[in-house]
């Protein structure tokens, strides 16, 4: 159906040339409706039994309309309004980077100028391995750190697959940076800067060298990475995260000045474990959960220095910033639309996979609109969804063997 869209909008079908400027002006509405798979937003509701019809309609409509948008781009038809989905005034190579919610080059450039040096765990056994196959890069979720990937990364290394795991800003041992910068674009830019620093992995040739994996909140971060830097990636793996906006208690999201200052003043370095425990529980962390942070296989709270001092990889201020700027926002949904536009415009052809945990453990919604898993399939035709019925939310820890097999297969297909 792609050629149909291109042919129709180029005016090779009778009567369509005159409609070209009008289509350019309404590209956001039309392409958005196609991607969402519902042409009339409030007038019609699709019930569960009609999902397969909805998905077919979405895939067909998106193919036609995204092809049409590319044709408009090639024809250099100016858009009279800022598009929230596809900006048709751009050149083809810029179309995807400008698509979706104002996520354009200016924001990317600003983020690139504000990066912090992330702490990276290196599971590459040799530089030769990096050159011979894609490198897996792991991005953790909320209240987590690079250590969560140790088991999976070690198992992949035993298979000869190299990987890196990063601590996002404010998490693990990475610095916070300016809190005002915290958000999806900045987190993605930080990761890219770390990859550039670690041996120039993204320099000296085209991408196709990275399989980027993000768990939970990290899934939203890697979607933004793929939207901003699609040429870097061979594949994208989103572990147990959808594109819905999370909701939190209003009091938590809008704390008073004193509580906000207390969060901002949190120091991850503690003189004793007991002090660390008291501090984390005072911010609402469950006491048993905090105890587990010290005893898990790769502890998030670990000895640091001498005399009983400990370091907390968990940071209540980073948690609050992440919930406020990443998890409760629709950036991931806009990013998924931009990835779809990127693929439609031929800028990149990265494979996208979503791994969904079992019903008892998953945080994903299948049917939520917008942003549930089935809606994501409609936005991005060809999205590969795999389920792990016995897994908890952290698939890589609760069903590690199956997770490693899945990542190894993605690497094989991307080689």
């Amino acid at each position: 159906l792609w050629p149909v869209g291109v042919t129709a909008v180029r005016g090779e079908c009778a009567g369509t040339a005159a409609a070209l400027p009008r289509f350019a002006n309404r590209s956001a509405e039309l392409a958005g409706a196609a991607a969402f798979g519902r042409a009339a937003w409030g007038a019609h509701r699709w019930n569960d039994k009609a999902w397969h019809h909805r998905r077919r309609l979405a895939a067909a409509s998106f193919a036609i309309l995204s092809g049409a948008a590319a044709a408009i781009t090639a024809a250099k038809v100016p858009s009279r309004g800022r598009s929230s989905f596809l900006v048709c005034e751009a050149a083809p190579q810029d179309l995807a980077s400008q698509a979706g919610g104002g996520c354009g080059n200016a924001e990317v450039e600003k983020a690139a100028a504000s990066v912090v040096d992330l702490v990276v765990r290196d599971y590459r056994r040799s530089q030769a391995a990096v050159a011979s196959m894609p490198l897996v890069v792991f991005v953790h979720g909320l209240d987590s750190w690079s250590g969560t990937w140790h088991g999976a990364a070690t198992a992949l290394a035993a298979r000869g697959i190299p990987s890196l795991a990063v601590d996002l800003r404010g998490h693990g041992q990475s610095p916070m940076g300016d809190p005002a910068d915290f958000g999806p674009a900045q987190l993605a830019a930080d990761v890219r800067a770390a990859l550039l620093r670690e041996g120039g992995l993204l320099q000296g040739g085209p991408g196709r060298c990275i399989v980027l994996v993000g768990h939970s909140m990290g899934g939203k971060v890697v979607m933004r990475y793929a939207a901003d830097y699609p040429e870097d990636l061979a594949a994208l793996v989103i572990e147990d995260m959808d594109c819905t906006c999370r909701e939190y208690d209003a009091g938590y999201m809008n704390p008073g000045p004193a509580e906000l200052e207390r969060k901002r003043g949190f120091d991850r370095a503690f003189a004793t474990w007991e002090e660390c425990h008291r501090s984390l529980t005072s911010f609402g962390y469950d006491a048993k959960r905090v105890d587990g942070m010290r005893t898990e296989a790769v502890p998030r709270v670990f000895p640091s220095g001498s005399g009983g001092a400990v370091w907390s990889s968990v940071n209540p201020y980073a948690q609050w910033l992440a919930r406020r700027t990443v998890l409760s926002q629709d950036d991931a949904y806009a990013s998924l639309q931009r990835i779809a536009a990127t693929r439609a415009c031929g800028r990149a052809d990265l494979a996208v996979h979503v791994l969904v945990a079992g019903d008892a453990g998953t945080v994903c919604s299948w049917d939520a609109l917008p942003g549930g898993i089935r809606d994501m399939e409609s936005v991005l035709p060809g999205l590969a969804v795999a389920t792990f019925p016995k897994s908890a939310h952290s698939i890589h820890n609760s069903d590690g063997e199956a997770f490693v097999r899945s990542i190894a297969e993605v690497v094989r297909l991307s080689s």
Side-chain angles (χ1 to χ4, degrees):
L1 291 173
W2 165 271
V4 175
V6 173
T7 300
V9 180
R10 279 180 177 167
E12 293 172 17
C13 292
T16 59
L20 198 59
R22 184 170 69 254
F23 185 93
N25 191 44
R26 300 194 61 208
S27 61
E29 301 167 44
L30 295 172
F36 300 151
R38 44 189 186 277
W41 282 83
H44 301 285
R45 289 288 181 183
W46 296 83
N47 61 38
D48 291 341
K49 295 181 180 179
W51 268 114
H52 64 288
H53 297 301
R54 176 178 177 273
R55 290 172 61 188
R56 289 174 181 172
L57 173 63
S61 302
F62 179 77
I64 292 175
L65 292 169
S66 59
I72 291 173
T73 300
K76 301 184 186 299
V77 176
S79 171
R80 299 187 206 113
R82 175 70 175 175
S83 168
S84 64
F85 184 78
L86 295 174
V87 181
C88 297
E89 62 193 345
Q93 64 269 23
D94 295 329
L95 178 62
S97 69
Q98 292 187 6
C103 306
N105 290 332
E107 188 174 7
V108 173
E109 291 171 2
K110 179 180 181 298
S114 305
V115 297
V116 299
D117 287 338
L118 303 184
V119 170
V120 177
R121 285 176 176 254
D122 194 338
Y123 295 91
R124 293 172 292 175
R125 291 187 170 177
S126 70
Q127 287 293 335
V130 176
S132 64
M133 67 176 62
L135 174 76
V136 178
V137 176
F138 290 116
V139 179
H140 62 78
L142 189 70
D143 288 331
S144 191
W145 70 313
S146 57
T148 188
W149 302 107
H150 181 75
T154 301
L156 287 172
R159 292 171 175 247
I161 299 173
S163 66
L164 299 175
V166 301
D167 286 342
L168 294 175
R169 64 166 56 202
H171 296 73
Q173 295 174 287
S174 290
M176 170 64 79
D178 186 346
D181 294 331
F182 200 103
Q186 190 62 65
L187 295 170
D190 289 344
V191 173
R192 191 169 197 266
L195 298 182
L196 289 167
R197 186 185 75 234
E198 293 293 322
L201 296 174
L202 303 179
Q203 297 173 345
R208 309 296 297 171
C209 57
I210 303 295
V211 171
L212 187 61
V213 182
H215 173 239
S216 195
M217 179 198 75
K220 293 197 169 189
V221 174
V222 300
M223 280 188 265
R224 181 56 188 260
Y225 188 111
D228 287 346
Y229 315 107
E231 63 280 357
D232 292 350
L233 304 182
L236 180 69
V237 180
I238 304 158
E239 181 189 351
D240 208 50
M241 179 51 60
D242 57 23
C243 290
T244 61
C245 299
R246 269 52 186 171
E247 296 182 357
Y248 301 100
D249 178 76
Y252 171 85
M253 294 295 280
N254 300 285
E259 178 61 17
L260 180 58
E261 187 59 33
R262 193 169 79 93
K263 291 181 189 293
R264 186 181 290 117
F266 182 84
D267 188 340
R268 284 171 279 173
F270 291 91
T272 66
W273 156 246
E274 290 76 17
E275 181 184 334
C276 176
H277 193 280
R278 284 194 301 270
S279 180
L280 288 174
T281 54
S282 76
F283 283 102
Y285 290 90
D286 179 76
K288 289 184 178 180
R289 185 185 178 200
V290 175
D291 289 335
M293 294 175 185
R294 190 188 187 193
T295 60
E296 57 197 355
V298 183
R300 277 172 280 184
V301 178
F302 53 87
S304 176
S306 58
V310 299
W311 179 272
S312 171
S313 296
V314 177
N315 182 348
Y317 188 40
Q319 180 201 67
W320 180 77
L321 288 169
R323 285 175 170 171
R324 190 175 178 86
T325 67
V326 181
L327 288 167
S328 64
Q329 304 300 315
D330 64 356
D331 184 86
Y333 199 49
S335 293
L336 192 71
Q337 295 171 33
R338 294 173 60 207
I339 294 167
T342 294
R343 299 205 319 188
C345 295
R347 180 178 169 188
D349 189 28
L350 69 152
V352 183
H353 304 259
V354 177
L355 313 183
V356 182
D359 291 342
T362 187
V363 301
C364 297
S365 169
W366 284 93
D367 298 331
L369 293 174
I373 298 297
R374 292 189 175 98
D375 194 32
M376 291 170 67
E377 291 178 299
S378 296
V379 170
L380 186 63
L383 179 71
V385 179
T387 57
F388 295 73
K390 298 180 180 180
S391 173
H393 174 50
S394 178
I395 302 171
H396 62 275
N397 283 323
S398 59
D399 197 358
E401 291 185 6
F403 176 83
V404 168
R405 285 197 301 270
S406 296
I407 300 301
E409 179 63 10
V410 172
V411 170
R412 185 189 68 80
L413 294 172
S414 303
S415 298

